[in-house]
């Protein structure tokens, strides 16, 4: 009986024994320990030495650049001579060895190298503008402005064509104020003066064209470079091999207002390049 009692008493005392203080503290402090560990782990991850490096941007493929360049060259080679015809038909300029193409009532005077020149200009603007959109300082490829829609691009090009034609019509009307076709320009001459009408009208047109269709730093840079380099190349072509001549030159064989036509072409060709780039990038 004593053995049973001793066993029972021992078992009973074991069941009634108080929990270990250490074990109790461990259970009560378990939540705090886990929270502190999580906080310390978070701090460790947020230390400068443990920050993840940004993922590198995807490289721009040479195939994409080549495809955009080909499409831009073709666009410039087709559109350029047609634009040039708007000047020759208004007696703005004439070529030393022209090729004349008659399309109904419209006579296009151009030359074979004009296609190449406008094609190269199309490549320079059509590739440079969307490329600069992606590599501009402080901007990555994901922050490049979205490409304009095809309707917006075609409207932009159409208004550039209109400015090209307007420059020729203004030059002709101002050169012969008494002609029947010059009456429309007389109010502008009265307002702005004969010596400033063409420049003021074309500058305002080019500026509004840029603000309406571009308003980006890369676009402004390329438009400004086009307005500087375009006339400089013309001076070389006119005074070097004498490939053509302007009817009413002002400085070094060129009219000064031609710079504003070049500037207006920046958004037109640049946006065309942006749209072509976006379409070809999506198809890769």
């Amino acid at each position: 009986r004593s053995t049973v009692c001793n066993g029972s008493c021992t078992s009973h005392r074991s069941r009634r024994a108080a929990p270990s203080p250490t074990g109790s503290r461990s259970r009560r402090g378990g939540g705090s320990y886990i929270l502190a560990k999580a906080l310390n782990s978070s701090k460790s991850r947020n230390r400068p030495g443990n920050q993840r490096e940004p993922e590198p941007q995807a490289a721009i493929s040479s195939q994409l650049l080549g495809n955009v360049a080909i499409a831009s060259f073709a666009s410039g080679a087709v559109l350029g001579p047609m634009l040039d015809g708007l000047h020759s038909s208004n007696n703005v300029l004439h070529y030393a060895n022209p090729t004349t193409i008659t399309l109904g009532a419209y006579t296009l005077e151009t030359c074979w190298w004009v296609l190449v020149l406008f094609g190269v200009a199309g490549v320079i603007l059509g590739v440079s503008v969307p490329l600069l959109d992606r590599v501009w300082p402080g901007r990555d490829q994901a922050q490049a402005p979205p490409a304009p829609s095809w309707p917006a691009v075609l409207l932009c090009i159409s208004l550039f064509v209109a400015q090209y034609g307007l420059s020729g019509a203004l030059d002709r009307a101002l050169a012969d104020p008494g002609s029947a076709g010059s009456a429309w320009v007389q109010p502008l001459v009265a307002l702005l003066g004969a010596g400033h009408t063409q420049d003021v009208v074309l500058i305002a047109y080019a500026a509004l064209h840029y603000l309406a269709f571009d308003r980006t730093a890369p676009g402004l840079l390329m438009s400004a470079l086009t307005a500087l380099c375009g006339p400089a190349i013309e001076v070389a072509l006119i005074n070097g091999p004498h490939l053509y001549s302007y009817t009413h030159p002002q400085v070094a064989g060129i009219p000064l207002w031609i710079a504003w036509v070049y500037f207006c072409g920046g958004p037109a060709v640049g946006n065309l390049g942006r749209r072509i780039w976006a379409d070809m990038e999506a198809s890769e």
Side-chain angles (χ1 to χ4, degrees):
R1 210 167 52 198
S2 174
T3 302
V4 173
C5 180
N6 287 341
S8 301
C9 291
T10 302
S11 176
H12 184 67
R13 282 197 299 270
S14 176
R15 286 196 300 269
R16 293 179 57 190
S20 168
T22 304
S24 177
R25 282 196 302 269
S26 174
R27 286 192 297 271
R28 286 196 304 268
S32 301
Y33 170 75
I34 294 171
L35 178 60
K37 186 175 181 180
L39 289 174
N40 288 335
S41 175
S42 176
K43 289 178 182 178
S44 176
R45 287 195 302 269
N46 290 331
R47 286 173 190 160
N50 294 325
Q51 288 182 353
R52 289 185 179 180
E53 293 293 330
E55 294 184 4
Q57 298 181 31
I60 297 171
S61 70
S62 57
Q63 182 179 0
L64 174 62
L65 289 173
N67 290 338
V68 175
I70 291 170
S72 298
F73 182 90
S75 302
V78 171
L79 184 60
M82 298 179 65
L83 291 173
D84 215 28
L86 296 174
H87 277 177
S88 57
S89 63
N90 279 294
N91 195 35
V92 174
L93 58 79
H94 295 283
Y95 292 93
N97 298 295
T99 298
T100 304
I101 301 172
T102 301
L103 303 172
Y106 179 70
T107 300
L108 172 64
E109 179 185 334
T110 187
C111 200
W112 67 267
W113 53 265
V114 175
L115 282 74
V116 178
L117 199 65
F118 275 94
V120 171
V123 172
I124 294 172
L125 279 170
V127 173
S128 296
V129 171
L131 181 60
L132 285 173
D133 284 342
R134 287 156 177 79
V135 300
W136 195 256
R139 177 191 296 171
D140 58 31
Q141 292 190 45
Q143 295 172 316
S149 64
W150 274 114
V153 170
L154 295 176
L155 178 59
C156 183
I157 293 173
S158 298
L159 291 175
F160 168 53
V161 172
Q163 195 238 28
Y164 214 105
L166 176 62
S167 67
L170 279 169
D171 192 69
R172 184 169 197 160
L174 291 169
D176 188 9
S179 64
S182 65
W184 65 275
V185 82
Q186 296 310 313
L188 292 174
V189 172
L191 178 65
L192 303 172
H196 304 291
T197 297
Q198 199 163 7
D199 285 307
V200 172
V201 170
L202 296 179
I203 288 173
Y205 195 119
L208 291 173
H209 191 253
Y210 165 78
L211 292 174
F213 293 100
D214 198 312
R215 287 188 289 179
T216 67
L220 179 60
L221 173 64
M222 293 308 300
S223 294
L225 287 175
T226 304
L228 291 172
C229 297
I233 293 172
E234 290 208 37
V235 168
L237 295 174
I238 290 171
N239 295 284
H242 306 286
L243 296 177
Y244 63 101
S245 60
Y246 279 95
T247 308
H248 309 110
Q250 293 173 296
V251 176
I254 65 169
L256 295 177
W257 54 260
I258 195 66
W260 319 130
V261 178
Y262 277 107
F263 187 95
C264 192
V269 184
N271 279 334
L272 177 61
R274 283 171 170 141
R275 185 65 263 167
I276 292 173
W277 182 299
D279 287 350
M280 290 191 171
E281 191 174 44
S283 66
E284 282 193 340

